[in-house]
């Protein structure tokens, strides 16, 4: 028998710290809302009133930030990865033509640190405001036997809506269509295990070492935010019509663009049609990574693609430029075995 009664805090879980963290994030979460949001933050479930639609299709996505979190922890900068998870999830559902409605986050920590939680939620709320969705709930769990002190995991779930008649599926893509590329800002949220292995281990670089090509440190370059394309994609689809979107995440251009192609369609992309950000060249050089592996793991400078009919290309490019994008015509769709060639 123990000499004195055990408490949850003695077991490693501080309920007072959790309550303190919750009070700090409530005000932040209120900055990311929509009129359809019902109830209050802290209820057992988040409530959201679906507006008037003729035939609404709910579209959802759930994801994490991966080992990019190790960079955030090492640099003690957490708001950027909070933003990343919203941008990533919103891009996923925008790729099917869905407007983001609401978002929920999950944070698992070894020891709950209110400052870190607040910083993460500030980033999440900023992402929600940017894509126009409400932050209606979340969960912060303190698990000292699962995560080391200082470590945490971050995941998020987004739900959006699209009219059935407006859903983007890729089924109508056909030979003769063209592929538009949206520039990425860097790694976004994919490939960090390889990037860390190449830069921090093979090249023995430190996070505060300068990268002259980027005029920033290694750590800063790795923490560059995942670009949010949701508003641009939805505006393009509303005005010009899009046959298919592909969010370029894990698997790179090869796997992700292939996912939306019908049988008998092959995408042929011109490698010289877009600029590859210097961070990828740094990783490839540091780890002696083969070209094929780079294109399989990373976005290589293209964070989103849109497939449109060739005659709609001028209007699509004008719309994207008006939305603040720098679109590139990166290839086209040919008849052939389903897949992607980069030439």
């Amino acid at each position: 028998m123990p000499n004195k009664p055990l408490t949850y805090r003695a077991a490693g879980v501080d309920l007072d710290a959790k309550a303190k963290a919750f009070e700090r994030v409530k005000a932040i979460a209120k900055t990311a809302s929509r009129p359809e949001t019902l109830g209050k933050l802290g209820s057992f479930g988040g409530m959201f009133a679906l507006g008037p639609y003729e035939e609404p299709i709910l579209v959802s996505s759930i994801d994490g930030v991966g080992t990019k979190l190790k960079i955030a922890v090492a640099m003690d900068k957490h708001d950027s990865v909070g933003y990343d998870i919203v941008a990533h999830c919103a891009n996923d559902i925008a790729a099917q033509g869905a407007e983001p409605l609401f978002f929920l986050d999950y944070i698992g920590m070894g020891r709950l640190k209110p400052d870190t939680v607040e910083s993460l939620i500030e980033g999440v709320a900023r992402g929600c405001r940017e894509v126009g969705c409400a932050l209606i709930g979340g969960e912060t769990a303190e698990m000292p036997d699962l995560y080391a002190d200082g470590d945490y995991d971050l995941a998020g779930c987004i739900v959006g809506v699209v009219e059935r008649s407006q859903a983007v599926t890729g089924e109508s893509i056909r030979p003769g269509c063209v592929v538009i590329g949206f520039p990425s800002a860097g790694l976004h949220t994919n490939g960090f295990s390889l990037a860390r292995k190449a830069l921090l281990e093979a090249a023995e670089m430190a996070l505060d070492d300068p990268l002259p090509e980027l005029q920033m440190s290694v750590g800063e370059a790795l923490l560059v935010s995942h670009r949010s394309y949701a508003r641009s994609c939805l505006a393009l689809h509303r005005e010009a019509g899009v046959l298919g979107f592909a969010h370029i995440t894990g698997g790179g251009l090869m796997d992700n663009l292939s996912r939306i192609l019908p049988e008998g369609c092959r995408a042929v992309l011109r490698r010289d049609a877009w600029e590859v950000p210097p961070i990828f060249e740094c990783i490839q050089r540091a780890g002696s990574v083969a070209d094929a592996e780079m294109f399989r793991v990373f976005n290589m400078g293209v964070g989103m693609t849109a497939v449109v009919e060739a005659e709609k290309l001028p209007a699509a490019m004008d719309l994207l430029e008006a939305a603040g994008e720098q679109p590139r015509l990166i290839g086209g769709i040919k008849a052939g075995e389903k897949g992607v060639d980069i030439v």
Side-chain angles (χ1 to χ4, degrees):
M1 295 292 290
N3 294 325
K4 59 181 181 179
L6 286 174
T7 64
Y8 214 4
R9 176 179 286 185
V13 179
D14 190 341
L15 294 177
D16 292 333
K18 184 172 184 177
K20 181 180 179 181
F22 178 71
E23 287 302 317
R24 291 168 68 168
V25 303
K26 274 201 306 185
I28 300 171
K30 288 179 181 178
T31 68
S33 188
R34 287 174 57 119
E36 304 98 322
T37 304
L38 304 176
K40 61 182 180 180
L41 197 69
S43 299
F44 289 103
M47 295 192 295
F48 192 92
L50 191 63
Y53 294 89
E54 293 182 5
E55 199 172 2
I57 302 296
L58 294 179
V59 184
S60 62
S61 176
I62 185 169
D63 218 314
V65 183
T67 59
K68 188 174 186 177
L69 294 178
K70 294 188 73 68
I71 309 299
V73 169
M75 298 186 66
D76 195 24
K77 181 175 177 13
H78 312 282
D79 62 309
S80 60
V81 289
Y83 175 90
D84 287 340
I85 188 59
V86 180
H88 185 126
C89 290
N91 289 345
D92 277 351
I93 65 169
Q96 292 174 279
E99 174 193 3
L101 295 177
F102 58 85
F103 189 88
L104 299 100
D105 63 84
Y106 170 82
I107 304 168
M109 312 186 91
R111 181 168 66 86
L112 199 149
K113 297 183 177 180
D115 288 347
T116 300
V117 173
E118 182 177 13
S119 184
L120 285 167
I121 299 304
E122 283 176 347
V124 170
R126 178 165 59 91
C128 287
R129 292 193 300 270
E130 185 168 316
V131 302
C133 71
L135 176 56
I136 65 170
E139 169 65 6
T140 301
E142 190 173 19
M143 295 177 284
D145 296 328
L146 188 59
Y147 298 102
D149 188 13
D151 285 345
Y152 61 85
D153 197 9
L154 172 67
C157 175
I158 198 167
V159 175
V161 64
V162 62
E163 289 281 9
R164 182 185 289 270
S165 62
Q166 298 299 312
V168 181
T169 65
E171 294 175 354
S172 299
I173 293 174
R174 61 186 184 277
C177 291
V178 294
V179 182
I180 300 171
F182 298 57
S184 73
L187 276 68
H188 287 181
T189 54
N190 294 101
F192 277 82
S193 293
L194 178 56
R196 290 187 301 108
K197 191 79 172 177
L199 295 172
L200 306 183
E201 295 186 29
E204 298 182 334
M205 302 180 78
L207 291 176
D208 58 359
D209 283 350
L211 283 177
E213 303 95 322
L214 284 79
Q215 297 185 330
M216 62 180 69
S217 69
V218 173
E220 289 169 336
L222 292 176
L223 279 187
V224 168
S225 292
H226 193 130
R227 287 201 60 211
S228 174
Y229 303 106
R231 288 189 182 274
S232 298
C233 288
L234 295 177
L236 178 63
H237 184 45
R238 283 194 303 268
E239 301 297 328
V242 173
L243 302 181
F245 284 115
H247 184 200
I248 311 305
T249 57
L253 282 160
M254 310 295 286
D255 289 353
N256 288 288
L257 186 50
S258 292
R259 290 164 64 178
I260 66 169
L261 297 177
E263 294 297 331
C265 288
R266 192 166 189 86
V268 179
L269 309 182
R270 302 191 318 276
R271 185 171 175 173
D272 62 355
W274 73 91
E275 294 182 6
V276 177
I279 183 62
F280 297 111
E281 298 169 5
C282 294
I283 293 168
Q284 184 169 22
R285 183 173 61 249
S288 300
V289 185
D291 277 1
E293 186 73 357
M294 292 294 295
F295 276 91
R296 183 184 182 193
V297 175
F298 301 110
N299 65 62
M300 296 300 284
V302 179
M304 178 75 79
T305 59
V307 180
V308 301
E309 295 171 334
E311 58 268 27
K312 294 184 177 180
L313 177 63
M317 298 294 269
D318 288 345
L319 280 163
L320 288 172
E321 289 173 359
E325 295 290 344
Q326 296 179 310
R328 298 286 185 271
L329 173 61
I330 63 172
I333 306 299
K334 310 293 184 182
E337 184 181 356
K338 177 179 174 179
V340 177
D341 292 324
I342 300 177
V343 299

